[in-house]
Amino acid sequence: MTDSAKLSLGAKETELKLRQGTIGPDVVDIAALYKDTGLFTYDPGFTSTASCESKITFIDGDEGVLLHRGYPIDQLAEKGNFLETCYLLLYGELPTANEMSDFSYRVTRHTMVHEQMSRFYTGFRRDAHPMAVMVGSVGALSAFYHDSTDIADPHQRMVASIRMIAKTPTLAAMAYKYHIGQPFVYPRNDLSYAENFLHMCFAVPCEPYQINPVLARAMDRIFTLHADHEQNASTSTVRLAGSSGANPFACIAAGIACLWGPAHGGANEAALNMLAEIGSKERIPEFIARAKDKNDPFRLMGFGHRVYKNYDPRAKIMQQTCHEVLNELGIKDDPLLEVAMELEQIALHDPYFIEKKLYPNVDFYSGITLKALGFPTEMFTVLFAVARTVGWIAQWKEMIEDPHQRIGRPRQLYTGAAQRDYAPVEARG
Ligand code: SDX
């Protein structure tokens, strides 16, 4: 294995160090490239760029592999639970029974938000998109929790991490309740993370809310599937925001803003809207043709991925969970599921999708499942944000604790006007 690469520029040769990871592609260390050659690298979209070193999540896009601290996502989703995965992502190891009980106790007792937070909601229109409310309310946490914004203090970093994992479900449920005009429901310490979230979203003061264990298990698994995903767009946003020393609440709010886009976390909402627009199996060919048409901006939402050029391992578990939820609720022949399964089969055998390696991703089946659980489409990305908060926090913490960490400040290829002198308005053409 060579440990360097040579860059020849005319007569000059520059040696660039290669670095190996535990698994996955090696990297060419170009940190000194500009100093040594006066050249930048150019990689819009970062298709070939490793922005950092990390020990948290590994993805092999060709093999459809997703590991959190080395553990395969299917094992964590099927044998573990979301809060245990949160501990794993934050601390690097699966917790012992005592560690899990202590972690669960700490998270549970941070689920309430400052009572004045509820006044924020009345400032929003009822029909505001819940993601707009989440960007605002999560960012506003830094206006209340000053005792956990000093990022140089390890204790404050951990308190802020626990607070965000604990409070985003409460803020999300409040966004939903406000949206539908129902009273907020306080968290309960006797419920698990997923049970508590369903309770805060669907309980009403007029009658006891019955937790369905099958649905709570499905909700918990959906959270686990969305917990972290290497250096995706929103995680990179959180890292970049955090590299300036911004407080963790502000960084997570930046991540939520980025996740909202339909090319990223907004795809689950867009995928369900697309399935509803297709409406029936008979119309699928029309939409497949549009997806292939270079002159049509339409894309199959829930299909394709920057990294996975094989089936997204989360999509398989998501599909199983979807069937479990529909069976538990006695929903037979869901028209959206029929369209989704037919669309998947057609696309998986279509030369265009095969050649471009476009497979269903985690967002393809999540929308049908979340709709069946009772959530409106506009809440889907909010649920993604609730789950991904732990991934953002774990990645932010890893970056802050990296002794080599510096502010992120990319350069550019400038193709604008060369220097020129100011022309007075009367001299302009
Ligand atoms: C998430 O990064 C992550 O890890 C994200 C995520 C996470 O957990 O954080 O996994 C969550 O965001 C999943 C992705 C959700 N987005 C969607 O489902 C939206 C639909 N998908 C696409 O917009 C697209 O596939 C992306 C954005 C996901 C990936 O885009 P890339 O890697 O930049 O790929 P590309 O746009 O360069 O597409 C490559 C080719 C293009 O054709 P050519 O220009 O080469 O001829 O594939 C085509 C695209 O037109 N293509 C599609 C398509 N996705 C890509 N054609 C039709 N339908 C699609 N969905």
Side-chain angles (χ1 to χ4, degrees), residues 327-351:
N327 290 340
E328 173 64 17
L329 295 170
I331 299 174
K332 303 260 180 284
D333 323 318
D334 178 308
L336 293 179
L337 180 65
E338 303 253 308
V339 170
M341 293 181 74
E342 180 71 9
L343 175 60
E344 179 185 9
Q345 282 316 307
I346 293 173
L348 290 181
H349 295 89
D350 182 296

mmCIF file of all heavy atoms in Angstrom, residues 327-351:
data_model
loop_
_atom_site.group_PDB
_atom_site.id
_atom_site.type_symbol
_atom_site.label_atom_id
_atom_site.label_comp_id
_atom_site.label_asym_id
_atom_site.label_seq_id
_atom_site.Cartn_x
_atom_site.Cartn_y
_atom_site.Cartn_z
ATOM 1 N N ASN A 327 -50.761 -3.594 8.883
ATOM 2 C CA ASN A 327 -51.440 -4.813 9.384
ATOM 3 C C ASN A 327 -52.054 -4.553 10.756
ATOM 4 O O ASN A 327 -53.202 -4.890 11.016
ATOM 5 C CB ASN A 327 -50.444 -5.980 9.478
ATOM 6 C CG ASN A 327 -50.029 -6.466 8.106
ATOM 7 O OD1 ASN A 327 -50.726 -6.210 7.114
ATOM 8 N ND2 ASN A 327 -48.875 -7.116 8.036
ATOM 9 N N GLU A 328 -51.289 -3.900 11.645
ATOM 10 C CA GLU A 328 -51.791 -3.660 13.017
ATOM 11 C C GLU A 328 -53.042 -2.791 12.985
ATOM 12 O O GLU A 328 -53.961 -2.948 13.771
ATOM 13 C CB GLU A 328 -50.699 -2.974 13.855
ATOM 14 C CG GLU A 328 -51.133 -2.532 15.234
ATOM 15 C CD GLU A 328 -51.520 -3.694 16.146
ATOM 16 O OE1 GLU A 328 -51.144 -4.842 15.826
ATOM 17 O OE2 GLU A 328 -52.225 -3.446 17.159
ATOM 18 N N LEU A 329 -53.059 -1.869 12.012
ATOM 19 C CA LEU A 329 -54.210 -0.952 11.934
ATOM 20 C C LEU A 329 -55.306 -1.489 11.036
ATOM 21 O O LEU A 329 -56.311 -0.817 10.791
ATOM 22 C CB LEU A 329 -53.724 0.423 11.425
ATOM 23 C CG LEU A 329 -52.764 1.160 12.375
ATOM 24 C CD1 LEU A 329 -52.151 2.382 11.686
ATOM 25 C CD2 LEU A 329 -53.492 1.584 13.652
ATOM 26 N N GLY A 330 -55.080 -2.687 10.497
ATOM 27 C CA GLY A 330 -56.111 -3.297 9.652
ATOM 28 C C GLY A 330 -56.314 -2.542 8.345
ATOM 29 O O GLY A 330 -57.386 -2.561 7.748
ATOM 30 N N ILE A 331 -55.276 -1.823 7.920
ATOM 31 C CA ILE A 331 -55.382 -1.081 6.649
ATOM 32 C C ILE A 331 -54.984 -2.029 5.522
ATOM 33 O O ILE A 331 -53.822 -2.378 5.359
ATOM 34 C CB ILE A 331 -54.460 0.169 6.657
ATOM 35 C CG1 ILE A 331 -54.852 1.122 7.779
ATOM 36 C CG2 ILE A 331 -54.495 0.884 5.298
ATOM 37 C CD1 ILE A 331 -53.905 2.305 7.944
ATOM 38 N N LYS A 332 -55.995 -2.460 4.783
ATOM 39 C CA LYS A 332 -55.737 -3.369 3.664
ATOM 40 C C LYS A 332 -55.720 -2.551 2.374
ATOM 41 O O LYS A 332 -56.395 -1.531 2.259
ATOM 42 C CB LYS A 332 -56.877 -4.420 3.599
ATOM 43 C CG LYS A 332 -57.028 -5.210 4.903
ATOM 44 C CD LYS A 332 -56.362 -6.577 4.779
ATOM 45 C CE LYS A 332 -56.497 -7.395 6.058
ATOM 46 N NZ LYS A 332 -55.519 -6.877 7.106
ATOM 47 N N ASP A 333 -54.948 -3.022 1.424
ATOM 48 C CA ASP A 333 -54.952 -2.405 0.080
ATOM 49 C C ASP A 333 -54.849 -0.880 0.147
ATOM 50 O O ASP A 333 -55.654 -0.180 -0.473
ATOM 51 C CB ASP A 333 -56.239 -2.764 -0.699
ATOM 52 C CG ASP A 333 -56.702 -4.208 -0.417
ATOM 53 O OD1 ASP A 333 -55.788 -5.059 -0.373
ATOM 54 O OD2 ASP A 333 -57.892 -4.428 -0.186
ATOM 55 N N ASP A 334 -53.918 -0.391 0.948
ATOM 56 C CA ASP A 334 -53.697 1.070 0.957
ATOM 57 C C ASP A 334 -53.291 1.494 -0.460
ATOM 58 O O ASP A 334 -52.280 1.023 -0.991
ATOM 59 C CB ASP A 334 -52.562 1.400 1.940
ATOM 60 C CG ASP A 334 -52.247 2.885 1.977
ATOM 61 O OD1 ASP A 334 -52.024 3.462 0.894
ATOM 62 O OD2 ASP A 334 -52.242 3.462 3.074
ATOM 63 N N PRO A 335 -54.080 2.377 -1.098
ATOM 64 C CA PRO A 335 -53.786 2.724 -2.502
ATOM 65 C C PRO A 335 -52.379 3.304 -2.678
ATOM 66 O O PRO A 335 -51.693 3.018 -3.651
ATOM 67 C CB PRO A 335 -54.858 3.757 -2.857
ATOM 68 C CG PRO A 335 -55.487 4.172 -1.574
ATOM 69 C CD PRO A 335 -55.260 3.069 -0.592
ATOM 70 N N LEU A 336 -51.912 4.065 -1.676
ATOM 71 C CA LEU A 336 -50.567 4.656 -1.804
ATOM 72 C C LEU A 336 -49.509 3.573 -1.742
ATOM 73 O O LEU A 336 -48.511 3.601 -2.456
ATOM 74 C CB LEU A 336 -50.342 5.678 -0.688
ATOM 75 C CG LEU A 336 -51.201 6.935 -0.738
ATOM 76 C CD1 LEU A 336 -50.876 7.845 0.439
ATOM 77 C CD2 LEU A 336 -50.990 7.683 -2.059
ATOM 78 N N LEU A 337 -49.751 2.559 -0.893
ATOM 79 C CA LEU A 337 -48.776 1.465 -0.790
ATOM 80 C C LEU A 337 -48.771 0.664 -2.076
ATOM 81 O O LEU A 337 -47.720 0.285 -2.590
ATOM 82 C CB LEU A 337 -49.109 0.560 0.409
ATOM 83 C CG LEU A 337 -48.149 -0.630 0.601
ATOM 84 C CD1 LEU A 337 -46.733 -0.121 0.935
ATOM 85 C CD2 LEU A 337 -48.638 -1.559 1.698
ATOM 86 N N GLU A 338 -49.964 0.474 -2.644
ATOM 87 C CA GLU A 338 -50.059 -0.265 -3.923
ATOM 88 C C GLU A 338 -49.241 0.454 -4.994
ATOM 89 O O GLU A 338 -48.444 -0.141 -5.701
ATOM 90 C CB GLU A 338 -51.534 -0.302 -4.385
ATOM 91 C CG GLU A 338 -52.484 -0.913 -3.374
ATOM 92 C CD GLU A 338 -52.942 -2.299 -3.816
ATOM 93 O OE1 GLU A 338 -53.412 -2.442 -4.948
ATOM 94 O OE2 GLU A 338 -52.734 -3.232 -3.023
ATOM 95 N N VAL A 339 -49.438 1.774 -5.072
ATOM 96 C CA VAL A 339 -48.706 2.561 -6.083
ATOM 97 C C VAL A 339 -47.207 2.489 -5.788
ATOM 98 O O VAL A 339 -46.388 2.270 -6.678
ATOM 99 C CB VAL A 339 -49.191 4.028 -6.089
ATOM 100 C CG1 VAL A 339 -48.276 4.902 -6.950
ATOM 101 C CG2 VAL A 339 -50.623 4.123 -6.583
ATOM 102 N N ALA A 340 -46.840 2.604 -4.489
ATOM 103 C CA ALA A 340 -45.412 2.601 -4.116
ATOM 104 C C ALA A 340 -44.757 1.281 -4.501
ATOM 105 O O ALA A 340 -43.682 1.258 -5.118
ATOM 106 C CB ALA A 340 -45.273 2.841 -2.610
ATOM 107 N N MET A 341 -45.424 0.166 -4.196
ATOM 108 C CA MET A 341 -44.801 -1.134 -4.473
ATOM 109 C C MET A 341 -44.706 -1.385 -5.960
ATOM 110 O O MET A 341 -43.699 -1.883 -6.463
ATOM 111 C CB MET A 341 -45.590 -2.226 -3.745
ATOM 112 C CG MET A 341 -45.456 -2.084 -2.225
ATOM 113 S SD MET A 341 -46.326 -3.359 -1.312
ATOM 114 C CE MET A 341 -45.248 -4.740 -1.600
ATOM 115 N N GLU A 342 -45.723 -0.952 -6.699
ATOM 116 C CA GLU A 342 -45.695 -1.131 -8.165
ATOM 117 C C GLU A 342 -44.616 -0.234 -8.772
ATOM 118 O O GLU A 342 -43.813 -0.662 -9.600
ATOM 119 C CB GLU A 342 -47.072 -0.771 -8.751
ATOM 120 C CG GLU A 342 -47.178 -0.901 -10.257
ATOM 121 C CD GLU A 342 -47.171 -2.359 -10.747
ATOM 122 O OE1 GLU A 342 -47.247 -3.258 -9.882
ATOM 123 O OE2 GLU A 342 -47.060 -2.593 -11.953
ATOM 124 N N LEU A 343 -44.544 0.997 -8.270
ATOM 125 C CA LEU A 343 -43.541 1.951 -8.770
ATOM 126 C C LEU A 343 -42.143 1.407 -8.502
ATOM 127 O O LEU A 343 -41.254 1.437 -9.360
ATOM 128 C CB LEU A 343 -43.732 3.301 -8.073
ATOM 129 C CG LEU A 343 -42.725 4.403 -8.356
ATOM 130 C CD1 LEU A 343 -42.697 4.747 -9.840
ATOM 131 C CD2 LEU A 343 -43.072 5.656 -7.535
ATOM 132 N N GLU A 344 -41.955 0.850 -7.314
ATOM 133 C CA GLU A 344 -40.637 0.298 -6.959
ATOM 134 C C GLU A 344 -40.271 -0.825 -7.915
ATOM 135 O O GLU A 344 -39.164 -0.863 -8.468
ATOM 136 C CB GLU A 344 -40.652 -0.211 -5.522
ATOM 137 C CG GLU A 344 -39.330 -0.827 -5.096
ATOM 138 C CD GLU A 344 -39.384 -1.440 -3.708
ATOM 139 O OE1 GLU A 344 -40.481 -1.542 -3.123
ATOM 140 O OE2 GLU A 344 -38.315 -1.810 -3.211
ATOM 141 N N GLN A 345 -41.213 -1.733 -8.156
ATOM 142 C CA GLN A 345 -40.932 -2.876 -9.039
ATOM 143 C C GLN A 345 -40.593 -2.410 -10.448
ATOM 144 O O GLN A 345 -39.599 -2.836 -11.045
ATOM 145 C CB GLN A 345 -42.138 -3.828 -9.079
ATOM 146 C CG GLN A 345 -42.234 -4.711 -7.855
ATOM 147 C CD GLN A 345 -40.872 -5.297 -7.452
ATOM 148 O OE1 GLN A 345 -40.183 -5.902 -8.280
ATOM 149 N NE2 GLN A 345 -40.458 -5.066 -6.224
ATOM 150 N N ILE A 346 -41.394 -1.462 -10.952
ATOM 151 C CA ILE A 346 -41.143 -0.979 -12.324
ATOM 152 C C ILE A 346 -39.770 -0.325 -12.399
ATOM 153 O O ILE A 346 -38.942 -0.605 -13.260
ATOM 154 C CB ILE A 346 -42.249 0.022 -12.752
ATOM 155 C CG1 ILE A 346 -43.589 -0.714 -12.875
ATOM 156 C CG2 ILE A 346 -41.873 0.704 -14.070
ATOM 157 C CD1 ILE A 346 -44.773 0.203 -13.135
ATOM 158 N N ALA A 347 -39.496 0.577 -11.412
ATOM 159 C CA ALA A 347 -38.231 1.323 -11.455
ATOM 160 C C ALA A 347 -37.031 0.386 -11.308
ATOM 161 O O ALA A 347 -35.998 0.567 -11.947
ATOM 162 C CB ALA A 347 -38.228 2.374 -10.341
ATOM 163 N N LEU A 348 -37.167 -0.627 -10.455
ATOM 164 C CA LEU A 348 -36.019 -1.524 -10.224
ATOM 165 C C LEU A 348 -35.698 -2.363 -11.446
ATOM 166 O O LEU A 348 -34.618 -2.923 -11.559
ATOM 167 C CB LEU A 348 -36.282 -2.429 -9.010
ATOM 168 C CG LEU A 348 -36.294 -1.729 -7.641
ATOM 169 C CD1 LEU A 348 -36.534 -2.733 -6.526
ATOM 170 C CD2 LEU A 348 -34.999 -0.961 -7.408
ATOM 171 N N HIS A 349 -36.647 -2.443 -12.404
ATOM 172 C CA HIS A 349 -36.384 -3.224 -13.622
ATOM 173 C C HIS A 349 -36.222 -2.331 -14.844
ATOM 174 O O HIS A 349 -36.099 -2.822 -15.959
ATOM 175 C CB HIS A 349 -37.525 -4.237 -13.837
ATOM 176 C CG HIS A 349 -37.584 -5.272 -12.763
ATOM 177 N ND1 HIS A 349 -38.322 -5.109 -11.593
ATOM 178 C CD2 HIS A 349 -36.941 -6.462 -12.617
ATOM 179 C CE1 HIS A 349 -38.154 -6.155 -10.802
ATOM 180 N NE2 HIS A 349 -37.332 -6.992 -11.395
ATOM 181 N N ASP A 350 -36.245 -1.017 -14.626
ATOM 182 C CA ASP A 350 -36.140 -0.095 -15.774
ATOM 183 C C ASP A 350 -34.671 0.221 -16.046
ATOM 184 O O ASP A 350 -33.950 0.618 -15.117
ATOM 185 C CB ASP A 350 -36.911 1.194 -15.427
ATOM 186 C CG ASP A 350 -36.900 2.178 -16.583
ATOM 187 O OD1 ASP A 350 -35.805 2.641 -16.935
ATOM 188 O OD2 ASP A 350 -37.972 2.447 -17.145
ATOM 189 N N PRO A 351 -34.202 0.075 -17.280
ATOM 190 C CA PRO A 351 -32.783 0.299 -17.600
ATOM 191 C C PRO A 351 -32.262 1.666 -17.134
ATOM 192 O O PRO A 351 -31.135 1.766 -16.652
ATOM 193 C CB PRO A 351 -32.748 0.197 -19.125
ATOM 194 C CG PRO A 351 -33.953 -0.586 -19.505
ATOM 195 C CD PRO A 351 -34.997 -0.305 -18.444
#
